[in-house]
Amino acid sequence: MGRSRRTLPEELLLLALDPATGTTAQPQSLDLGLAGAQLVELALAGRIAPDGDRIAVVMPRPTGDPTLDSALELLRRRGSPVRAVHWIGGPRLGLRQTYLSHLERCGMVHAVEGQMCGVLPTTRYQATETAISREIRARLDSAIRTGVPPDPRTAALAALAHAVGLGKHLYPGNEGRSSRSRLRDLIRHDPMGGLVAHAVMDVQNGAGAQPRRNGTPAAGGPTRQTPGGGVPLQPRSRATGSMARVVSA
């Protein structure tokens, strides 16, 4: 995989960054979404494929992206398909910080050091390549406004944005209600994105241990929670909470 194209985890993180505060919206559910975005990116690269509600490695060849290849190797070592909820709900210590540091090295964000309450060190991240962030947002806006079925990458990004609760960040207030609804509806345009998005919401609801009756979520079917409103499983919460010095709204 070449590095000329941004990966879905990078795009999801850029969507979540608040340009005014330098913090990330929905930080706990965002960590789940980043793990899910890795799965979708690997699927788009032809390395994994859905097998019911599980994920199977179909081509173990590395992509060339170190973070994605680490996830691919972990999946390969499982030896058999793994349920998406178990993968997403597992500990991913430092995943958000890994992607923030990568975006900083690429010059897409700038780290701003500070202190909380005059004592605790903090790091906020300001987007420097605002044109990139605008382009990502424009793809979502276009899919919502036109109703034209989006490409698989944009559909998956919309599904993940909905799953982690970014709808109210991107389209706030009563005036954004219809846009949030259409963002949710875009989930049906990409089967892998839909599977992963539902798994993210299941983990937030604490439903990861209970398999779906039909194996996979129905395309475009109703979700069982308000996105971003659930509480991640406790082991996940401990993992995300220990990431060093990232301030999140």
Side-chain angles (χ1 to χ4, degrees), residues 19 39 57 91 93 110 120 126 131 179 190 218 247:
L39 293 181
V57 176
L93 186 63
H110 171 66
L120 299 175
Q126 301 286 348
S179 293
D190 180 63
V247 176

Side-chain angles (χ1 to χ4, degrees), residues 73-219:
E73 177 61 15
L74 288 174
L75 286 166
R76 187 193 66 79
R77 289 178 184 175
R78 296 291 183 95
S80 60
V82 59
R83 287 186 64 205
V85 288
H86 289 166
W87 174 262
I88 291 169
R92 296 289 179 272
L93 186 63
L95 186 59
R96 181 164 30 121
Q97 182 60 59
T98 295
Y99 277 109
L100 282 168
S101 298
H102 170 73
L103 291 175
E104 183 182 17
R105 288 193 300 272
C106 293
M108 285 189 274
V109 301
H110 171 66
V112 180
E113 305 293 336
Q115 288 185 329
M116 181 182 295
C117 302
V119 178
L120 299 175
T122 62
T123 304
R124 299 175 184 269
Y125 290 86
Q126 301 286 348
T128 52
E129 293 289 341
T130 54
I132 294 176
S133 297
R134 288 196 300 269
E135 182 271 329
I136 297 169
R137 174 65 183 271
R139 280 164 43 208
L140 285 187
D141 290 346
S142 177
I144 287 173
R145 183 180 63 254
T146 65
V148 175
D151 63 274
R153 180 172 294 274
T154 301
L157 182 62
L160 289 162
H162 166 71
V164 303
L166 289 184
K168 60 185 178 183
H169 167 71
L170 299 170
Y171 308 104
N174 289 332
E175 64 276 14
R177 183 177 300 172
S178 61
S179 293
R180 293 195 298 271
S181 177
R182 287 193 290 271
L183 180 70
R184 178 198 63 213
D185 291 343
L186 290 174
I187 201 170
R188 71 182 185 274
H189 290 294
D190 180 63
M192 185 64 178
L195 168 65
V196 169
H198 280 283
V200 168
M201 291 184 284
D202 277 350
V203 173
Q204 291 181 80
N205 284 333
Q210 301 173 7
R212 291 180 177 274
R213 287 191 298 269
N214 295 327
T216 56

